[in-house]
Amino acid sequence: EVQLAESGGGLVQPGGSLRLSCAASGFTFSSYGMNWVRQAPRKGLEWVSGISADGDDTYYADSVKGRFTISRDNSRNTLYLQVNSLRAEDTAIYYCAKTAIGGSYWYFDIWGRGTLVTVSS
Amino acid sequence: EITLTQSPATLSVSPGERATLSCRATQGFNQNLAWYQQKPGQVPRLLIYGASTRATGIPARFSGSGSGPEFTLTISNLQSEDFALYYCQQYTNWPLTFGGGTKVEI
């Protein structure tokens, strides 16, 4: 079964940092682009960041550029998101999402359950 | 950045009726548009990609149409399980963007 399992969320003070992880199973992780999508409480979906299958290309939303860093370890089937300089508006559930097919079609067929990041003093 | 505007924000319909959801982009593009359904407490589920292709396991009552900048998701013969939030997403340009969502309610 194809699965994504996020971890690493929690309560952090403004200006703080966290490292989110997403463990993948049930598919050839190294063949697919991967993404982070977040959802603030009672709000819509916001794409945060994406990374190509080989990790060479990374993409960011303007709202997180310079503060968040996406990476992957294909030997461990794991996706990461390093989140720094956190702000209250970064409070959200962070979902890991698999790109449906390889190549340049970046829509998402598998989503994890999400990990909650709360930024508050 | 391509901004997607979904309308209406809320759509009130009855079971058995048809719902028509709109997603309008700030610029024209090809058919690199997807639709997702999200129910309360659940993760989003892919419904449509390529503007009109149903994802695996999605019932035929869900159909997508259009090309940039105007796209439509139609749900025919609404079932009780279809009452949910629906989002469109473009994947033609970086950054990827989602629409603000349409809530389909009874």
Side-chain angles (χ1 to χ4, degrees), chain A residues 35 37 39 43-47 59-62 95 104-109 111-113, chain B residues 1 32 34 36 38 41-46 49 87 89 91 94-100:
Chain A
N35 301 266
V37 177
Q39 187 167 35
K43 298 293 186 181
L45 301 172
E46 180 188 15
W47 174 82
Y59 309 92
Y60 298 94
D62 288 346
Y95 296 105
S104 57
Y105 297 97
W106 289 72
Y107 57 92
F108 318 126
D109 62 344
W111 297 65
R113 300 295 302 173
Chain B
E1 173 173 325
N32 287 348
Y36 301 86
Q38 187 178 31
Q42 296 187 19
V43 302
R45 176 174 72 146
L46 176 67
Y49 61 92
Y87 295 94
Q89 177 236 331
Y91 50 96
W94 300 102
L96 309 181
T97 49
F98 285 92

Side-chain angles (χ1 to χ4, degrees), chain B:
Chain B
E1 173 173 325
I2 297 176
T3 299
L4 299 177
T5 300
Q6 291 188 242
S7 62
T10 303
L11 185 60
S12 297
V13 293
S14 300
E17 292 185 338
R18 171 181 294 185
T20 302
L21 288 66
S22 173
C23 175
R24 175 171 290 182
T26 50
Q27 64 188 75
F29 58 93
N30 52 20
Q31 298 194 305
N32 287 348
L33 187 108
W35 290 92
Y36 301 86
Q37 176 193 67
Q38 187 178 31
K39 298 179 181 179
Q42 296 187 19
V43 302
R45 176 174 72 146
L46 176 67
L47 296 176
I48 301 283
Y49 61 92
S52 61
T53 302
R54 281 188 301 277
T56 303
I58 301 304
R61 64 180 182 272
F62 291 90
S63 62
S65 63
S67 60
E70 191 79 42
F71 298 89
T72 300
L73 174 69
T74 302
I75 313 171
S76 304
N77 186 22
L78 268 159
Q79 304 295 300
S80 57
E81 61 266 30
D82 301 335
F83 292 95
L85 271 162
Y86 293 85
Y87 295 94
C88 57
Q89 177 236 331
Q90 66 81 20
Y91 50 96
T92 204
N93 277 354
W94 300 102
L96 309 181
T97 49
F98 285 92
T102 291
K103 181 179 180 181
V104 177
E105 64 176 23
I106 299 175

Side-chain angles (χ1 to χ4, degrees), chain A residues 59-71:
Chain A
Y59 309 92
Y60 298 94
D62 288 346
S63 58
V64 306
K65 202 172 293 184
R67 300 188 298 123
F68 291 10
T69 302
I70 192 172
S71 62

Side-chain angles (χ1 to χ4, degrees), chain A residues 2-10 18-25 27 29 34-39 45-46 48-49 70-71 77-81 83 92-99 108-117, chain B residues 38 41-44:
Chain A
V2 177
Q3 285 190 327
L4 299 171
E6 303 91 337
S7 60
L18 285 173
R19 190 194 199 198
L20 309 182
S21 299
C22 171
S25 60
F27 65 101
F29 180 72
M34 296 295 296
N35 301 266
W36 291 96
V37 177
R38 69 184 179 183
Q39 187 167 35
L45 301 172
E46 180 188 15
V48 172
S49 183
I70 192 172
S71 62
N77 292 342
T78 304
L79 175 72
Y80 302 101
L81 187 68
V83 296
I93 296 173
Y94 284 72
Y95 296 105
C96 169
K98 170 186 167 290
T99 301
F108 318 126
D109 62 344
I110 302 295
W111 297 65
R113 300 295 302 173
T115 187
L116 177 62
V117 173
Chain B
Q38 187 178 31
Q42 296 187 19
V43 302

